Amino acid sequence: MFDDLKQDLQAAKARDPAARSSLEILLCYPGIWAIIFHRLNHWLWNHRLPFWGRFFSQISRFLTGIEIHPGAQIGKRVFIDHGMGIVIGETAIVGNDVLIYQGVVLGGTSLSKGKRHPTVEDAVVIGSGAKVLGNITLGCSSKVGAGAVVLQDVPRGATAVGVPSRIIHEDRKCVLDLEHEFPDPVSSAIDLLFERQEELEKRINVLSKFHDIEHMEFDHGSEVEEVFKGDGKLFYKLNNYIDD
């Protein structure tokens, strides 16, 4: 138990640049208190004392603002930074070297008695306010961005962002990689659309000047007339004519 506590203190010191000493971490970090309480509560839960496990877990919740069900499995060197509002469900499994920020929920989406909470593998980082719901797996060394709602598995080393979450395949290089500048795939797609629109508009202007579209005669009712004389809804069809 004391060896686990020593590793927890070292993990907190490595992941929080504001930490100054092991004594400060032990006395002033509610995330550390929650882990210590949970180890006791989990022991009671596994030794047929579920009431006392739940009772002391509520005391821990009152003192720390962190609710961890005594049935949850928590690995070594798990660091809960700040921690207020964190909820970890009964069948959740959290691996080693995991970093969890405040407001995170590892919740369930089923009323069944079986496995209904997430499995978090080693070296995962879960950002502030993220909700990870259901019997899903966050792969080793993956990341969940702040405020994300994760409903599907996150592959090893990937990053999940958004609501609902989208997967960004970016491999993390090390356990202590805490970079939070995540690219937004939707924003990137919109930028590409604007670039394509600008390119097409330039090509249409050149084509219009070269062929004097304004004074050109088209067969009545033809697709070409619809494209050049219409209301603009068929703008995308121009691309075929330009390429030809």
Side-chain angles (χ1 to χ4, degrees), residues 128-131 133 144-151 160-167 184-186:
S128 302
K131 315 302 178 189
L133 305 176
V144 177
V149 177
V150 184
L151 303 174
V161 298
V163 181
S165 66
R166 304 174 299 278
I167 303 301
D184 186 344
V186 173

Side-chain angles (χ1 to χ4, degrees), residues 115-134:
K115 182 76 166 67
R116 60 189 184 279
H117 296 97
T119 296
V120 180
E121 296 184 348
D122 296 345
V124 172
V125 176
I126 308 178
S128 302
K131 315 302 178 189
V132 185
L133 305 176

Side-chain angles (χ1 to χ4, degrees), residues 9-244:
L9 295 176
Q10 291 173 345
K13 189 178 295 186
R15 288 167 172 78
D16 185 5
R20 294 177 176 82
S21 67
S22 297
L23 181 62
E24 178 187 32
I25 294 170
L26 181 62
L27 298 180
C28 302
Y29 279 51
I32 294 294
W33 304 349
I35 293 296
I36 294 173
F37 266 108
H38 176 72
R39 292 211 173 97
L40 169 63
N41 300 334
H42 189 63
W43 186 90
L44 294 171
W45 182 268
N46 288 334
H47 287 78
R48 300 183 180 181
L49 296 169
F51 171 80
W52 292 109
R54 289 302 302 271
F55 178 78
F56 288 118
S57 72
Q58 292 305 302
I59 293 177
S60 173
R61 178 178 181 270
F62 176 77
L63 294 174
T64 66
I66 300 167
E67 182 171 348
I68 306 177
H69 192 285
Q73 301 177 40
I74 307 293
K76 297 182 178 181
R77 298 178 299 279
V78 173
F79 178 44
I80 297 175
D81 196 357
H82 299 289
M84 181 63 69
I86 286 177
V87 177
I88 300 178
E90 176 187 3
T91 62
I93 300 174
V94 179
N96 301 323
D97 301 301
V98 172
L99 174 58
I100 303 175
Y101 287 96
Q102 67 271 17
V104 167
V105 173
L106 303 182
T109 57
S110 170
L111 297 178
S112 67
K113 295 291 186 180
K115 182 76 166 67
R116 60 189 184 279
H117 296 97
T119 296
V120 180
E121 296 184 348
D122 296 345
V124 172
V125 176
I126 308 178
S128 302
K131 315 302 178 189
V132 185
L133 305 176
N135 183 18
I136 61 176
T137 299
L138 305 184
C140 182
S141 297
S142 61
K143 279 184 179 180
V144 177
V149 177
V150 184
L151 303 174
Q152 297 180 341
D153 292 347
V154 178
R156 177 187 180 93
T159 299
V161 298
V163 181
S165 66
R166 304 174 299 278
I167 303 301
I168 302 172
H169 290 279
E170 280 191 338
D171 290 337
R172 289 176 61 202
K173 298 179 180 179
C174 67
V175 172
L176 297 182
D177 171 21
L178 304 182
E179 180 60 51
H180 281 71
E181 294 183 2
F182 303 140
D184 186 344
V186 173
S187 176
S188 299
I190 292 174
D191 289 340
L192 289 174
L193 287 175
F194 278 124
E195 291 177 6
R196 182 59 173 166
Q197 177 180 339
E198 184 178 357
E199 177 187 348
L200 289 176
E201 288 177 349
K202 290 180 180 179
R203 296 171 74 177
I204 291 169
N205 290 333
V206 172
L207 181 63
S208 298
K209 293 178 181 179
F210 183 77
H211 291 288
D212 194 15
I213 298 299
E214 294 297 328
H215 300 91
M216 185 177 292
E217 295 293 332
F218 300 105
D219 294 336
H220 181 67
S222 67
E223 187 177 22
V224 178
E225 182 185 44
E226 186 179 19
V227 170
F228 285 97
K229 300 296 185 180
D231 59 5
K233 292 182 180 179
L234 300 175
F235 175 82
Y236 67 93
K237 291 185 179 180
L238 281 170
N239 191 41
N240 295 328
Y241 294 102
I242 294 173
D243 289 341
D244 291 341

